[in-house]
Structure formats: structure tokens, C-alpha cells
Amino acid sequence: MMERVYNFSPGPSMLAQSVLEKAQQEMVVYGNTGMSVMEMSHRSKMYTDIYDKTVADLRDLMNIPDTHEVLLLQGGATQQFSAIPLNLMVNGKADYIDSGNFAHLAAEEAKRYGEVNIVASSRDDVYTYIPDWKKGAFTPDADYVHITSNNTIYGTRYVELPEVNAPLVTDASSMILSEVMDVSKFGVIYAGAQKNIGPSGLCVVIVRKDLLGKAKDICPKLLNWEVQAKAGSMYNTPNTYGIYLAGLTFQWVKEMGGVAEMEKINIEKAALLYDFLDNSKLFKATAQKEFRSRMNVTFITGDADKDAAFVKAAAAEGLVNLKGHRSVGGMRASIYNAMPREGVVKLVDFMKKFEAENI
Ligand SMILES: *Cc1c(COP(=O)(O)O)cnc(C)c1O
């Protein structure tokens, strides 16, 4: 078998090797059940035990209080762009902070269901920073305020949360479990799984219980959080295998020492890259320093041909998927939880070598 590469893809992205190996061992026969997890009835005790443990481990890892429900739904983060207004727009008004393309898409989708006020935006500056929401005008009777905690394409993150009266809703797809979050500060936290959790298609939705039961009549049943909460995320057949893999990742994060420990490792990994970039004569980080992401590190040489040559040469060394998003170009190293420190060290060593040869 070919050796595994260091995969810097923004998502779907690397999973911990021990998670993949465990899944492989258990693939054909899980425990003493005589069948694969994929073959289990989602209503059987053998499966609901897996489901319950997965949710309990996530509650543990994120210290999720009893005030909040945990849902494991389908349709990725994008499905929630629709579910959020459909479940929360009682007054028909919401505030959005536009800090990146996913934030923009979330706001555009919400406009189909109500009035959307863009409190602040960094769109005109290619989203290189988190816009200054402190100067923005929030709607007094907004049903919620929506933010994107980490902007995957541009490599920026919120360093401070907006203090708002309305429930705060965040898209945490590319940062969940990478740093400690105070769940009690949020009305809703949602995250597509394919960055820090497991396979794509699955979405973790953590919602404050008092926000359930407000869905619009037109809200499809499958998108209705109250319906899903009452059904234990099983109004229809859930993504059983994806949930099982998410559970393996949650166990792995626990073995690594939990989210606080992951955060320490992630700060160190990101610093390795940014320290190099800040002293480089060839490469330059693109996000404003204050808002730099710990998960997605974006950088350029300033010469599109050199960027392309770098991406190609890195791939030949087993450092793959470093090309930036098609909308911004340049490079992006996504260094989620499952990217080991050694992968980042190897990348920095290669960048040094490439710099020496191309300056
Ligand atoms: C990847 C990503 C999405 C899209 O997730 P899907 O699961 O493809 O719908 C949305 N928001 C953010 C911040 C992301 O990083």
C-alpha cells in the first residue's frame, strides 16, 4: 500500500490514523454483533448505544450544558443555512456578519425567508479580516445574529465574540473541537463534519432548548430542529456510519487530552507556520495578523507561476492539497486537529528549501 501523505485539504480533510485503523478493524464485524455498523438497524440497541455514546462524548468534550440539545443531522453545514431562518425567524428579521464566502452564502439563503441585515462586511477587501461589528448597527428585534467563527477560505477567525441580545448563531465548521468554546454563549453552534469530525454529509447542531418549537409552518419536517430533537436525530434514517466515525474521532480527541489540549497543539502548529511566513523573503501570509486562523493558513508568493510551482513541488514530496481556494488563489495549508505536528514541520522545512531555490 502507498504511504499516507500529509493532506492539507480544507475539507474533506485528514482523519486521525488511529480512527481509520479502528474503523478498518471493525468494518466487517463490530464487536460481538456479527455485522458491520453500516448494516445495523438505526433503531436497534446495538446502534443506539453507539449513537448515545457519540453524543455523550461530544457533550463531555465541549462541556455542553443541559440547556442545549445535540443533533446529528444530514445535509452538511449548507443545509443549516436554510434550517436556521426556517427554525428561528419568528419576527422575520436576522443580523448577519459577512466575514467570508460561507457567511455570505448563509445570508443569501436567509434572505429567502425574511429580512436580512448585514451588520458588517469585509467582502470588498477580499475578506482578509473580520469586519468591525462594533461599529455596526444591530437590529433591536432580530431573531438571531449569525457569525462564522473561522473563515475557511480566507484563513481568519473571530478573536472576540459580539456581545448581542439576540441568540448568537455560529457556523463552526472549520474550528469546532480545535479550541475551547463557551457553549452557553451561543443559541446555536453548527458544524459540517468533514473538517474536524469525520466524513462529509453529517452536521453537528447544538441548539439551546428554548429556541426549539419556533419553526415556520413551511419548514420541512426534516429541517425542523424540534422534530429532530424529539426523534433523537432519527426522524428518518440518519447517517449511521458517519455518526459512528464521528464517535471514533471524539474518542480520539479524548485520548489526546481533550479540546483544551488540542487547542495548545493547534496554537503551536499555527505558530510554526506563521513565524516562518513572517520572516520569509518569498512567502507572505495574506490574512491580517490580528485575525489569523489556527486552522487555515493562507499565503502567497506574489507570483502566480511561483505559487503553482510550489504547490506542484510540495505534492511531489507528499505535502498535498496546498492550492488556495479558486476564488483567491495562492496557497492554503489547512491544519485541522488530525494534521500531526510533524506534517507542519515537514511543510515548513520544504518551504525553506523552496525559498532558497527560488529567491
Ligand atoms: C466547509 C464549510 C461549509 C460547507 O460545508 P458543507 O458540509 O459542504 O455544506 C460551510 N461553512 C464553513 C465555515 C465551512 O468551512
Side-chain angles (χ1 to χ4, degrees), residues 10-12 75-81 101-103 105 148-153 171-175 190-195 200-203 296 332 336:
T78 307
Q79 179 92 290
Q80 297 305 313
F81 293 173
N101 199 48
F102 288 117
L105 292 174
T148 310
S149 291
N150 182 77
N151 298 281
T152 323
I153 297 174
D171 178 350
S173 295
S174 50
M175 57 72 77
Y190 66 105
Q194 67 273 34
K195 282 115 191 188
S200 60
L202 181 69
C203 189
N296 313 95
R332 168 176 48 174
Y336 300 116

Side-chain angles (χ1 to χ4, degrees), residues 1-15:
M1 194 169 63
M2 187 190 165
E3 212 181 313
R4 276 171 65 74
V5 292
Y6 289 115
N7 181 3
F8 294 90
S9 165
S13 38
M14 283 182 89
L15 291 173

Side-chain angles (χ1 to χ4, degrees), residues 160-202:
E160 189 188 347
L161 289 178
E163 296 272 345
V164 289
N165 294 323
L168 190 59
V169 176
T170 192
D171 178 350
S173 295
S174 50
M175 57 72 77
I176 194 167
L177 298 177
S178 74
E179 63 179 88
V180 175
M181 293 176 88
D182 181 352
V183 176
S184 70
K185 290 217 162 87
F186 295 91
V188 182
I189 298 172
Y190 66 105
Q194 67 273 34
K195 282 115 191 188
N196 259 338
I197 295 177
S200 60
L202 181 69

Side-chain angles (χ1 to χ4, degrees), residues 104-344:
H104 173 75
L105 292 174
E108 285 298 308
E109 182 62 15
K111 282 181 189 168
R112 295 156 59 84
Y113 304 105
E115 251 176 71
V116 167
N117 169 38
I118 305 293
V119 176
S121 173
S122 48
R123 189 170 175 80
D124 291 344
D125 295 316
V126 210
Y127 294 123
T128 48
Y129 55 92
I130 301 291
D132 187 3
W133 41 265
K134 284 178 186 155
K135 290 194 197 128
F138 288 90
T139 309
D141 56 346
D143 292 310
Y144 61 93
V145 176
H146 182 280
I147 64 169
T148 310
S149 291
N150 182 77
N151 298 281
T152 323
I153 297 174
Y154 312 91
T156 61
R157 69 185 272 274
Y158 277 75
V159 284
E160 189 188 347
L161 289 178
E163 296 272 345
V164 289
N165 294 323
L168 190 59
V169 176
T170 192
D171 178 350
S173 295
S174 50
M175 57 72 77
I176 194 167
L177 298 177
S178 74
E179 63 179 88
V180 175
M181 293 176 88
D182 181 352
V183 176
S184 70
K185 290 217 162 87
F186 295 91
V188 182
I189 298 172
Y190 66 105
Q194 67 273 34
K195 282 115 191 188
N196 259 338
I197 295 177
S200 60
L202 181 69
C203 189
V204 170
V205 179
I206 301 165
V207 52
R208 217 171 65 204
K209 288 174 183 165
D210 66 293
L211 297 175
L212 299 173
K214 298 170 187 278
K216 288 177 183 286
D217 286 343
I218 59 156
C219 180
K221 264 211 155 147
L222 263 180
L223 304 197
N224 186 316
W225 295 332
E226 187 193 31
V227 169
Q228 289 286 19
K230 281 188 179 149
S233 307
M234 297 195 196
Y235 179 74
N236 72 334
T237 319
N239 178 356
T240 53
Y241 199 71
I243 290 168
Y244 155 75
L245 279 169
L248 293 185
T249 297
F250 297 158
Q251 286 167 41
W252 172 75
V253 176
K254 281 189 149 182
E255 285 157 20
M256 292 290 287
V259 177
E261 193 54 35
M262 289 299 349
E263 179 170 354
K264 268 194 226 157
I265 299 168
N266 288 325
I267 289 173
E268 203 208 323
K269 273 156 52 186
L272 283 170
L273 263 168
Y274 288 121
D275 287 349
F276 169 73
L277 287 167
D278 287 342
N279 293 299
S280 172
K281 292 191 184 67
L282 179 66
F283 299 103
K284 184 172 159 288
T286 53
Q288 281 189 15
K289 215 166 190 168
E290 180 183 358
F291 302 110
R292 284 173 171 176
S293 168
R294 296 166 180 163
M295 295 284 100
N296 313 95
V297 178
T298 49
F299 55 99
I300 50 168
T301 63
D303 172 341
D305 291 339
K306 265 188 194 164
D307 287 352
F310 171 77
V311 169
K312 196 168 166 220
E317 297 290 316
L319 304 163
V320 310
N321 286 322
L322 283 161
K323 197 170 181 311
H325 190 265
R326 59 187 182 278
S327 64
V328 288
M331 279 77 70
R332 168 176 48 174
S334 296
I335 50 172
Y336 300 116
N337 283 354
M339 172 60 68
R341 188 180 182 278
E342 303 85 78
V344 180

